[in-house]
């Protein structure tokens, strides 16, 4: 088993050193004790009954804006032609970094089927620029299954204090949860772009936004217990030892507990990184009565991790997601989320949330996800994947587009100051003072394997032959296959190294009220049984409920794309010299999904 241990000090690969101000004036007035997580702690399981209603508990003011010349031009155009014209096309001829949200125009967020929720933070027009923290030693974020009793006591205490703060204190747990809601469910417009929603999912803002979010959450917890070395734990779902909900989050008496979780998925259930909820639903055609055993699930999960971190993350665009610039409304034919954001990030949200709640609360919906303390451990591991990805051999570097690097967010810090941060200041987490505990990374060696032939039962195929389609667009209402011609074949290893061959499923369009999942299989044959552990399984499109505010100028439908890496996959199937590939799309849930087309592109 390989164990790649990223060294936090060697992670920096961007040429942005001139922008760092390491001589910060922000001081940590606390002690400098470092926590040492202990190994081999036996997990304690808390049994929670899975009954029908057990989880049903009730639980400006002009802001100072640094103007860029490009942005001034945009604002000028907006004045002449109106904001709609300005952003109609979603892709401006010239980009600009995404600006901070306009706090003065924060509105209620409107999740599907429930009343609007007020997620707006306390208003302040006093915005300070971020300064790097000073620290003696990096804070080591531990794997949640490896922490000792001292650590648990400390974390529980910190969260208890956070939950006890008045609801309007920007450091309170309630306000921390709202940060996610406002940024993700249509609370904000972009400053200087009236009517243009700010969204931090489904694009390259996903990793940096959540890194900053956790940074301030962790700093607030540390300051509440007067321990600046305090580091939040990560849910180590990418390794067998960490694939269950960490037991520290399952004690109903603790501040780390949240009753709004799927009671079928409590300990000792193994998380499903490719979770397809229809497989667990006896009323659905996709129901699988013999859901995989724990052993099989672990293998599937490791294959999913290998695929998403390596096969489908060869380029920085694949890993981070598509560009999202000032004025973009989201919803563009060939733009979409990065590999990890899609899977396993989103399936884990859905797997954890409680399907008996109105809209999948807490983890299963963006508006409520931050109410579950487990959210921050989930995102700890998502963030850790960014740190690991940069150290993988042969993998590209961080994104170096200035519009990404200069994009900005606002957060309240541990002193209740409203702080403006930039993406470029978070790309090296060691400058923020933390690193991750080094644990095994077994998925490095868990390359998916080609599927075996199905034994025919009395000469009959058990799988239905796929319906073939030649013409797009289609409505994906049944399993379909299509042949996609490859612009280049038999590429040399240098060509393969320089450019990744990418299958682009573009113009994926659906009503933003529904949740969607479909799987993509390459070179499927009718007599093969293919699962997420197989090479042919190229990836999935999966989206969480994320209804936007209708008052904001948004398209009714979500339009996005899925980009899949083919180089590794076709080598694994011995098909690198073929003229074309057969692509099969398997809808899992969500009706009426339109797909405008499928093509192959090359990307550096
Ligand atoms: Cu902002 Cu896991 O989502």
């Amino acid at each position: 088993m390989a164990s790649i241990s990223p060294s936090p000090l060697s992670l920096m690969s961007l040429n942005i050193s001139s922008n760092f101000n390491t001589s910060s004036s922000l001081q940590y007035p606390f002690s400098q004790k470092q926590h040492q997580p202990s190994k081999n702690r036996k997990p304690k399981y808390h049994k929670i009954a899975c009954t029908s209603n057990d989880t049903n508990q009730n639980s400006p003011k002009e802001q100072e804006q640094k103007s860029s010349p490009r942005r001034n031009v945009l604002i000028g155009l907006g004045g002449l032609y109106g904001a709609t014209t300005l952003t109609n096309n979603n892709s401006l001829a010239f980009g600009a970094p995404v600006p901070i949200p306009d706090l003065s125009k924060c509105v209620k967020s409107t999740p599907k089927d429930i009343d609007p929720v007020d997620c707006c933070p306390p208003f302040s027009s006093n915005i300070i620029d971020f300064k790097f923290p000073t620290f003696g030693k990096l804070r080591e974020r531990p794997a949640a299954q490896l922490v000792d009793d001292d650590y648990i006591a400390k974390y529980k205490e910190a969260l208890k204090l956070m939950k006890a703060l008045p609801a309007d204190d920007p450091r309170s747990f309630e306000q921390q949860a709202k940060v996610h809601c406002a940024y993700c469910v249509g609370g904000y417009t972009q400053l200087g772009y009236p009517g243009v929603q700010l969204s931090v999912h489904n694009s390259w803002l996903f990793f940096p936004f959540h890194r900053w979010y956790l940074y301030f959450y962790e700093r607030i917890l540390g300051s509440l217990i007067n321990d600046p070395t305090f580091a939040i734990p990560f849910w180590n779902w990418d390794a067998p030892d960490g694939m269950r909900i960490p037991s520290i989050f399952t004690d109903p008496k603790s501040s780390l507990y949240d009753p709004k979780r799927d009671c079928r998925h409590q300990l000792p259930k193994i998380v499903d990184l490719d979770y397809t909820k229809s497989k667990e639903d006896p009323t659905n055609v996709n129901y699988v009565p013999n859901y995989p055993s724990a052993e099989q699930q672990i293998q599937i999960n490791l294959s999913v991790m290998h695929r998403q971190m390596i096969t489908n993350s060869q380029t920085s665009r694949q890993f981070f997601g598509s560009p999202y610039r000032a004025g973009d409304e989201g919803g563009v034919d060939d733009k979409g989320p990065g590999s990890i954001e899609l899977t396993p990030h989103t399936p884990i949200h859905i797997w954890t949330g409680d399907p008996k709640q109105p809209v999948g609360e807490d983890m299963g919906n963006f508006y409520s996800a931050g109410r579950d303390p487990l959210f921050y451990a989930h995102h700890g591991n998502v963030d850790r994947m960014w740190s690991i990805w940069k150290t993988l051999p042969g993998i590209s570097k961080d994104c170096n587009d200035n519009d990404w690097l200069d994009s900005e967010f606002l957060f309240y810090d541990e002193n209740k100051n409203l702080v403006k941060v930039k993406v470029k200041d978070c790309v090296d987490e060691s400058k923020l003072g933390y690193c991750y505990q080094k644990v095994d990374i077994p998925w490095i060696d868990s390359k998916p394997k080609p599927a075996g032939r199905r034994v025919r039962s009395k000469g009959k195929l058990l799988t239905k032959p796929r319906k073939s389609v030649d013409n797009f667009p289609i409505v994906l209402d049944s399993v379909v296959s299509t042949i996609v011609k490859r612009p280049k074949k038999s590429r040399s290893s240098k060509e393969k190294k320089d450019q990744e061959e990418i299958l682009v499923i573009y113009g994926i369009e659906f009503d933003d009220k529904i949740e969607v999942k479909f799987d993509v299989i390459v070179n499927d044959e009718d007599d093969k049984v293919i699962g997420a552990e197989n090479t042919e399984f190229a990836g999935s499109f999966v989206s969480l409920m994320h209804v936007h505010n209708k008052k904001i100028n948004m398209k009714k439908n979500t339009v996005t794309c899925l980009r899949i890496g083919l180089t590794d996959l076709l080598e694994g199937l011995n098909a690198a010299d073929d003229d074309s590939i057969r692509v099969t799309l398997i809808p899992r849930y969500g009706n009426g999904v339109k797909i405008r087309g499928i093509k192959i592109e090359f990307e550096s």
Side-chain angles (χ1 to χ4, degrees), residues 123-175:
F123 181 77
S124 164
S125 55
N126 188 12
I127 299 174
I128 61 171
D129 284 328
F130 174 73
K131 299 234 172 55
F132 285 97
T134 51
F135 50 88
K137 208 171 149 192
L138 295 177
R139 313 186 287 282
E140 188 179 77
R141 291 186 180 169
Q145 78 277 15
L146 296 177
V147 295
D148 62 21
D149 290 339
D150 285 354
Y151 178 88
I152 298 171
K154 203 186 262 188
Y155 188 24
K156 282 183 182 166
E157 177 62 13
L159 208 56
K160 206 171 108 194
L161 293 170
M162 188 183 249
K163 287 183 168 177
L165 290 171
D168 62 350
D169 186 319
R171 302 166 305 163
S172 68
F173 188 70
E174 192 168 330
Q175 290 293 333

Side-chain angles (χ1 to χ4, degrees), residues 366-393:
F366 284 147
Y367 100 88
S368 52
R371 295 175 183 172
D372 188 340
L374 187 54
F375 170 91
Y376 305 87
H378 172 37
H379 271 277
N381 208 36
V382 169
D383 186 65
R384 181 175 157 261
M385 291 305 122
W386 182 5
S387 307
I388 292 172
W389 176 77
K390 293 200 265 196
T391 67
L392 295 173

Side-chain angles (χ1 to χ4, degrees), residues 180 184 200-201 206 209-210 345 349 366 375 378-379:
H180 196 256
C184 312
V200 293
H201 290 106
F206 174 75
F209 167 81
H210 291 87
H345 161 259
H349 269 282
F366 284 147
F375 170 91
H378 172 37
H379 271 277

Side-chain angles (χ1 to χ4, degrees), residues 205-493:
L205 292 187
F206 174 75
F207 278 106
F209 167 81
H210 291 87
R211 172 165 286 182
W212 277 120
Y213 183 16
L214 295 190
Y215 171 80
F216 288 105
Y217 178 76
E218 180 173 82
R219 296 273 297 197
I220 295 168
L221 289 170
S223 93
L224 290 172
I225 52 169
N226 248 345
D227 179 0
T229 70
F230 176 76
I232 54 174
F234 63 90
W235 177 5
N236 191 190
W237 35 247
D238 60 309
D241 287 351
M243 283 180 187
R244 298 174 170 89
I245 290 185
S247 60
I248 59 168
F249 293 99
T250 61
D251 174 2
K253 291 189 291 293
S254 132
S255 58
L256 305 184
Y257 182 69
D258 179 14
K260 292 182 183 173
R261 294 184 190 144
D262 191 330
C263 64
R264 297 167 303 175
H265 298 157
Q266 59 185 303
L267 289 170
K269 186 90 176 177
I270 302 277
V271 64
D272 181 352
L273 299 190
D274 180 52
Y275 183 53
T276 301
K277 57 181 187 173
S278 50
K279 287 187 184 170
E280 276 188 317
D281 174 4
T283 66
N284 191 291
V285 288
N286 286 311
Y287 179 56
V288 181
N290 304 313
Y291 211 61
S293 68
E295 279 304 295
Q296 289 167 325
Q297 187 65 65
I298 287 170
Q299 279 319 308
I300 292 171
N301 288 347
L302 292 174
S303 307
V304 168
M305 287 311 302
H306 184 98
R307 172 180 304 115
Q308 295 304 92
M309 285 292 284
I310 298 175
T311 313
N312 281 337
S313 288
Q314 290 293 309
T315 70
S316 62
R317 176 168 182 172
Q318 284 182 290
F319 183 73
F320 289 104
S322 300
Y324 173 72
R325 304 178 203 275
D328 283 358
E329 286 180 75
V332 188
D333 240 19
D334 64 347
K335 289 188 178 176
S339 53
I340 293 297
E341 179 179 0
L342 274 171
T343 303
H345 161 259
T346 300
I348 293 174
H349 269 282
I350 299 170
W351 183 87
T352 309
D354 181 358
K356 290 185 208 129
Q357 294 296 324
V359 288
E361 288 96 338
D362 280 326
M363 278 281 275
N365 195 300
F366 284 147
Y367 100 88
S368 52
R371 295 175 183 172
D372 188 340
L374 187 54
F375 170 91
Y376 305 87
H378 172 37
H379 271 277
N381 208 36
V382 169
D383 186 65
R384 181 175 157 261
M385 291 305 122
W386 182 5
S387 307
I388 292 172
W389 176 77
K390 293 200 265 196
T391 67
L392 295 173
I395 291 266
S396 352
K397 307 278 161 15
D398 270 322
C399 173
N400 58 7
D401 188 312
N402 283 328
D403 286 346
W404 184 68
L405 294 166
D406 287 331
S407 285
E408 297 172 334
F409 309 109
L410 287 178
F411 290 95
Y412 278 100
D413 72 3
E414 67 276 22
N415 301 313
K416 302 200 230 183
N417 289 321
L418 190 55
V419 183
K420 183 168 78 181
V421 299
K422 285 180 186 289
V423 166
K424 67 183 168 199
D425 289 340
C426 79
V427 291
D428 179 355
E429 72 276 31
S430 71
K431 290 213 157 60
L432 299 179
Y434 72 89
C435 62
Y436 287 99
Q437 181 182 13
K438 293 180 176 85
V439 291
D440 272 355
I441 307 177
W443 46 260
I444 301 261
D445 290 334
S446 303
K447 202 175 167 112
K449 298 197 175 57
R453 302 264 164 203
R454 181 191 286 268
V455 183
R456 285 167 186 245
S457 150
K458 293 186 190 139
K460 268 199 290 177
L461 284 180
L462 297 176
T463 359
K464 280 194 231 132
R466 310 329 196 175
K467 179 170 111 194
S468 290
V469 292
D470 308 314
N471 290 321
F472 282 84
I474 58 161
V475 176
L476 188 60
D477 52 8
S478 65
V479 180
V480 295
S481 288
T482 189
I483 304 294
V484 183
K485 275 207 94 45
R486 297 174 66 210
K488 295 179 198 164
K489 59 171 188 174
S490 316
R491 297 191 301 148
S492 69
S493 27

